[in-house]
Amino acid sequence: MSALNKKNILLGVCGGIAAYKSAILARRLIDAGAQVRVVMTSGAQAFVQPMTFQALTGNPVHTSLLDTEAEAAMGHIELARWADIILIAPATANTLARLAHGFADDLLSTVCLASEAPLFIAPAMNRLMWAHAATLSNCKTLNDRGASFIGPAEGIQACGETGAGRLLEPEDIRDQLATLLQSNAAITTSNEQTTQTLAGKHVLVTAGPTREAIDPVRYISNHSSGKMGFAIAEAAVSMGARVTLVAGPVSLSASDTIQRIDVVSAEQMLDAVMQVAGNCDVFISVAAVSDYRLEEIKEQKIKKNDEQMQLTLIKNPDILKQVSSREDRPFCVGFAAETENVEAHARGKLVRKQLDMIAANQVAQPDNPVFGSDTNALDVYWPANDGHQAIPASSKTHVAQALLTIIASQLGKKPEGSQG
Ligand code: PMT
């Protein structure tokens, strides 16, 4: 059953050529079992007639803040209370700016202010407007307040230019909305329970860095704190899974229900993972494993006698690749920590490491290093139909839930015992 079933969705439609796609979107949401009411901005009405949405949804369309008839029936407060979800598609640059600054001078912005319902935004605009610092800043403000973004897509735009800013196709908006909803435990209708989509599954997670000793007092490592991997382990438990967590040296605690194995080096992590890999359904390799280790670890502390010192490093085993090469391999999910060309590098690893899925994060950004921080954003890729889903910036807990929801849905599509 779709996560949209029986949800009250308030669909906000703004003024842009993509508004015609919202009519199909309204239909698709209803097909998924949702009740849909539409609020149109004045700009939207220049592109599509309210009558179109009225006919499709079977409900009157709301267009005006000061409408005595609407106030008697369903005014802005009632609409705000009625909505389980507010979805704005298309959302223009103007609407993003108005929402970010808390305007309340039309019906859509007022309902958004007056509602506690989660807000989902599918933007559509010219590529330069989308890339403008003002728009990016407005998106960040909205995102920080909990709004989730769906799209935009890249491609040829109505203005004739090519780039990011196209409204996603209605079916993609519906599917991403359902996925995001499933991962958002806060959104429940009165008689719904949190979904246990990983019930009966054994999930193996690696987290944190590894440390490669140089001598008894020094080591090579990286900035991983383990927060992302631990968040995934905890979220998997809350979705019904049995979880084994192989953790590098971190200062985090995990729930008692998680079977935790602490390790230090990449070789120790490999040993621990291989003991469990044949006995789990999903392997999520979040650890930032050191790619190299010392060829020789000195038994005594190295003295600083020389101006220069050379260390010889040798390659560590690729733990993820060793798991994905097993005949009894679980569903294998890798992480890709990239500083540039994120999609190309991530898709390269997806193929080279024979993975079922890869979650890419852009690290070392001035506004979010990801390593050590409490928030993240992911682009998730899988091989079938060049699959891709973005998980917008949010707390690592929320990102973990969203990732596991995508994994659970793809896991269901994978034939038993199939490879890669
Ligand atoms: O721990 P946090 O502070 O919360 O930060 C989170 C994170 C940035 C560490 C995490 O989100 C992340 O990106 N983890 C993967 C980091 C990494 O090593 O990426 P990579 O692109 O170098 O490796 C690709 C994949 O191969 C990863 O799944 C990695 O676990 C795996 N790998 C890499 C090397 C190796 N020898 N063995 C492996 O299994």
Side-chain angles (χ1 to χ4, degrees):
M1 198 198 324
S2 168
L4 303 176
N5 192 40
K6 295 202 169 91
K7 288 285 190 296
N8 290 345
I9 301 182
L10 191 141
L11 176 62
V13 183
C14 304
I17 182 62
Y20 79 92
K21 287 190 185 175
S22 307
I24 304 164
L25 174 60
R27 192 67 249 170
R28 295 289 168 264
L29 296 173
I30 291 166
D31 293 344
Q35 288 102 37
V36 177
R37 284 182 176 269
V38 175
V39 170
M40 297 179 80
T41 64
S42 55
Q45 294 165 63
F47 290 90
V48 188
Q49 290 293 316
M51 191 64 78
T52 305
F53 288 103
Q54 183 163 323
L56 286 169
T57 63
N59 287 317
V61 173
H62 307 268
T63 55
S64 171
L65 180 57
L66 303 172
D67 177 345
T68 44
E69 253 181 50
E71 288 300 322
M74 204 172 245
H76 62 281
I77 298 297
E78 284 85 351
L79 273 174
R81 285 187 191 139
W82 173 86
D84 292 323
I85 298 156
I86 299 178
L87 168 64
I88 306 183
T92 56
N94 179 43
T95 293
L96 294 178
R98 290 153 50 72
L99 292 177
H101 291 89
F103 277 46
D105 58 354
D106 73 355
L107 183 59
L108 183 58
S109 55
T110 308
V111 170
C112 288
L113 270 187
S115 179
E116 289 178 336
L119 178 60
F120 297 87
I121 299 173
M125 66 197 73
N126 164 272
R127 69 183 175 92
L128 293 174
M129 293 169 75
W130 174 246
H132 197 285
T135 305
L136 296 179
S137 160
N138 291 330
C139 290
K140 184 169 184 320
T141 302
L142 291 166
N143 204 221
D144 290 347
R145 284 191 208 136
S148 301
F149 281 80
I150 300 178
E154 288 193 27
I156 300 174
Q157 303 198 294
C159 55
E161 296 183 12
T162 303
R166 277 169 62 94
L167 187 71
L168 279 181
E169 293 308 314
E171 292 74 15
D172 293 332
I173 297 176
R174 175 201 57 199
D175 292 350
Q176 288 201 28
L177 178 65
T179 302
L180 287 165
L181 279 177
Q182 268 179 321
S183 68
N184 189 345
I187 305 162
T188 49
T189 50
S190 50
N191 54 2
E192 250 179 1
Q193 301 297 317
T194 308
T195 47
Q196 296 279 296
T197 36
L198 290 173
K201 301 289 182 203
H202 181 190
V203 176
L204 170 62
V205 182
T206 62
T210 63
R211 275 184 196 164
E212 310 303 329
I214 298 173
D215 66 17
V217 297
R218 305 181 179 95
Y219 57 80
I220 295 174
S221 190
N222 58 65
H223 296 296
S224 172
S225 63
K227 287 180 184 174
M228 190 69 248
F230 275 60
I232 288 173
E234 298 289 351
V237 167
S238 70
M239 290 166 77
R242 176 160 76 89
V243 176
T244 303
L245 173 63
V246 178
V250 294
S251 53
L252 296 174
S253 54
S255 306
D256 292 345
T257 43
I258 291 173
Q259 194 207 344
R260 175 173 176 170
I261 305 170
D262 287 308
V263 297
V264 176
S265 68
E267 286 182 301
Q268 289 172 2
M269 187 172 274
L270 175 70
D271 285 348
V273 164
M274 282 308 184
Q275 281 176 29
V276 185
N279 174 31
C280 68
D281 302 288
V282 181
F283 174 46
I284 310 176
S285 183
V286 196
V289 184
S290 296
D291 289 320
Y292 292 89
R293 69 177 185 278
L294 273 291
E295 185 176 39
E296 182 197 358
I297 303 171
K298 297 288 182 198
E299 280 181 20
Q300 304 302 328
K301 184 181 171 192
I302 301 170
K303 295 292 171 198
K304 53 173 189 298
N305 297 329
D306 302 322
E307 282 307 306
Q308 289 193 339
M309 182 175 63
Q310 288 195 335
L311 297 172
T312 303
L313 304 179
I314 55 170
K315 223 172 190 179
N316 262 329
D318 189 318
I319 301 170
L320 182 53
K321 184 105 192 269
Q322 291 211 16
V323 173
S324 71
S325 305
R326 293 173 67 111
E327 271 194 17
D328 58 353
R329 57 176 282 166
F331 187 92
C332 288
V333 183
F335 262 67
E338 307 294 347
T339 54
E340 56 170 1
N341 299 332
V342 175
E343 176 165 4
H345 287 316
R347 283 205 183 274
K349 285 175 186 169
L350 184 68
V351 174
R352 277 199 308 284
K353 299 195 184 215
Q354 301 167 326
L355 305 178
D356 297 296
M357 189 176 282
I358 194 152
N361 34 206
Q362 186 151 17
V363 296
Q365 296 295 296
D367 60 340
N368 190 356
V370 179
F371 282 95
S373 80
D374 292 325
T375 60
N376 198 3
L378 295 175
D379 278 289
V380 185
Y381 303 99
W382 57 93
N385 306 319
D386 280 342
H388 168 238
Q389 192 154 334
I391 301 177
S394 193
S395 68
K396 283 182 175 167
T397 301
H398 190 94
V399 166
Q401 289 165 345
L403 174 63
L404 287 167
T405 303
I406 299 170
I407 292 172
S409 75
Q410 290 298 315
L411 193 57
K413 291 178 190 161
K414 193 174 181 233
E416 285 288 322
S418 71
Q419 301 283 304

